[in-house]
Amino acid sequence: MKKVFFTLTALISLNINSQSVEFQEYDLDNGLHVILHKDNNAPVVVTSVMYHVGAKDEDPDKTGFAHFFEHLLFEGTKNIKSGYSGWNNIINSNGGTFNANTSSDRTYYYEIFPSNKLEIGLWLESERMLHPVVSQKGIDTQNEVVKEEKRLSENQPYGKLLEVVVENLFKVHPYKGTVIGKMEHLDNASEEDYKKFNKKFHVPNNAVLVVAGDIDYNETIDLVKKYFDDIPRGEDVERNFPVEDPITESNWFIKEGKLNPGTYCLTKDIVSMNTGEAIGKKNSKVIVEDFTDPYASAFGQNIYKVKHVLTKQDLYISNEDIKRWDAHLKNIVSSGKTQQLIL
């Protein structure tokens, strides 16, 4: 009874504290969808543009382009210098902040300014859409940045977890790829490849502009028209993705791999803390260090980091170990403790 009372109380509280968000939305003649929201509680404003382009829209032989442009479109425009003296200097000197992010479905850019700097935010995003500089110099610079980002993300526990999940969850839909893409695709892409991608996707009819904060509707509508109305409409983006078959059963997948210095092991079953032996090859030894990870508690195990391999042999996890670990996971599920399993 107490649980029921608490639930009802929570629902009533949620309803009382809920609020409706009022906004205006309309389309420019070039297809740009505009959403405006006024909130005068604080003298700040956000200008943001979301492009309907993500990893799923890429050529499977030219992956990583959407995320790459998240970096490249900060390399300057015809009227904004590249490097720190460009975007950073303009935004920071006007009391603002900015960032961007990419997913499988969209790329998102935003700036937050004091509300009296609204026009600067709109000008910056119109410059990104109308006058981006896509040059080999910027491509080479950001290629190294993206490679380092990939190295940093993968060189940590569970760094490739999402990649393994999506490649086994999806068979035909482009969701099976990763947002950051394959580095060899970026290395082999030409300047013209990048220009074609930009011309196809970073156009007003494939984007949504949102302005929210301490604004006046009429003034903002006039400014949006001033900076975006003359940007040419692009060709309509056609999408026809393959459809996945329904998922009707769980698919357990343990990826076989090798243990090298700097990598991580999930369990003592793989590397013994007492002997430093890898089960796959009893004659190969490693030095490991304790590295407790909160996620590892889902398996009732610690996680161990390989510090040094004492032989030149690659240390492989055997198929027998994979089967044993697979059985361990299934036991967790059958015991009803699946909420503890973080995958």
Side-chain angles (χ1 to χ4, degrees):
M1 179 62 70
K2 289 183 179 179
K3 290 183 178 179
V4 174
F5 178 76
F6 175 80
T7 302
L8 290 175
T9 302
L11 289 173
I12 294 171
S13 176
L14 179 63
N15 185 55
I16 294 174
N17 293 321
S18 65
Q19 60 180 2
S20 61
V21 178
E22 297 181 358
F23 60 91
Q24 296 184 11
E25 60 180 330
Y26 60 96
D27 290 339
L28 297 182
D29 291 340
N30 57 15
L32 178 66
H33 189 63
V34 182
I35 300 175
L36 308 178
H37 167 62
K38 182 170 72 171
D39 183 346
N40 303 122
N41 287 311
V44 294
V45 64
V46 57
T47 58
S48 63
V49 174
M50 182 174 289
Y51 291 95
H52 298 295
V53 56
K56 76 176 189 304
D57 299 292
E58 298 164 347
D59 182 330
D61 295 322
K62 295 178 181 178
T63 61
F65 275 46
H67 172 260
F68 192 82
F69 268 94
E70 177 199 320
H71 293 259
L72 188 60
L73 291 185
F74 283 104
E75 275 291 313
T77 72
K78 291 181 180 179
N79 299 303
I80 300 174
K81 296 179 180 179
S82 63
Y84 187 84
S85 61
W87 290 92
N88 290 57
N89 184 56
I90 293 171
I91 294 173
N92 292 340
S93 64
N94 285 280
T97 184
F98 67 98
N99 213 329
N101 56 72
T102 310
S103 74
S104 294
D105 298 297
R106 86 294 178 278
T107 311
Y108 180 64
Y109 304 86
Y110 72 87
E111 298 83 27
I112 302 174
F113 280 112
S115 52
N116 62 340
K117 303 294 185 179
L118 167 62
E119 188 165 2
I120 294 177
L122 292 171
W123 171 71
L124 286 169
E125 287 304 332
S126 67
E127 277 291 304
R128 194 196 309 274
M129 189 180 294
L130 181 60
H131 295 134
V133 174
V134 180
S135 66
Q136 194 61 50
K137 179 181 178 181
I139 291 169
D140 292 341
T141 299
Q142 294 306 322
N143 197 5
E144 294 305 313
V145 174
V146 171
K147 286 180 180 178
E148 181 62 17
E149 180 180 340
K150 184 176 176 67
R151 284 190 289 264
L152 289 173
S153 65
E154 292 183 351
N155 189 28
Q156 56 181 309
Y158 309 99
K160 299 190 73 173
L161 175 62
L162 182 59
E163 178 180 345
V164 173
V165 169
V166 296
E167 73 183 11
N168 286 277
L169 184 62
F170 299 100
K171 305 303 180 185
V172 295
H173 193 280
Y175 279 158
K176 65 183 179 180
T178 61
V179 172
I180 203 165
K182 297 180 179 179
M183 295 302 100
E184 59 266 28
H185 292 174
L186 298 179
D187 287 339
N188 296 331
S190 66
E191 181 179 330
E192 187 60 28
D193 290 331
Y194 288 109
K195 288 182 176 179
K196 287 180 179 179
F197 188 90
N198 181 67
K199 184 178 180 180
K200 179 178 181 179
F201 291 109
H202 297 115
V203 291
N205 49 303
N206 196 49
V208 177
L209 168 68
V210 176
V211 183
D214 184 26
I215 63 173
D216 174 82
Y217 279 129
N218 292 331
E219 178 188 2
T220 305
I221 290 171
D222 290 341
L223 288 173
V224 169
K225 181 178 178 65
K226 174 182 177 181
Y227 287 105
F228 290 90
D229 201 43
D230 292 334
I231 300 177
R233 181 187 182 95
E235 294 185 11
D236 291 337
V237 178
E238 297 183 4
R239 295 177 172 89
N240 185 23
F241 299 124
V243 178
E244 293 280 346
D245 292 331
I247 298 175
T248 59
E249 60 182 6
S250 299
N251 178 24
W252 294 96
F253 179 82
I254 308 298
K255 190 170 185 179
E256 186 171 1
K258 57 185 178 181
L259 308 179
N260 287 316
T263 59
Y264 297 83
C265 308
L266 284 175
T267 171
K268 289 181 182 179
D269 289 339
I270 296 174
V271 175
S272 170
M273 284 293 291
N274 297 325
T275 64
E277 293 181 345
I279 286 178
K281 295 183 178 179
K282 293 291 187 181
N283 61 337
S284 299
K285 294 189 176 182
V286 298
I287 298 175
V288 299
E289 64 176 302
D290 252 326
F291 184 88
T292 302
D293 186 289
Y295 291 143
S297 63
F299 305 103
Q301 302 281 356
N302 285 334
I303 187 168
Y304 304 101
K305 181 177 180 182
V306 179
K307 292 178 66 176
H308 182 64
V309 180
L310 296 180
T311 73
K312 294 184 179 180
Q313 294 176 280
D314 285 331
L315 303 175
Y316 285 91
I317 303 170
S318 68
N319 288 327
E320 289 74 19
D321 297 314
I322 291 174
K323 291 177 181 178
R324 187 163 66 252
W325 187 244
D326 181 65
H328 178 58
L329 294 179
K330 289 181 178 178
N331 286 335
I332 294 176
V333 174
S334 63
S335 68
K337 298 180 180 180
T338 53
Q339 71 276 12
Q340 298 181 14
L341 187 61
I342 301 173
L343 282 177

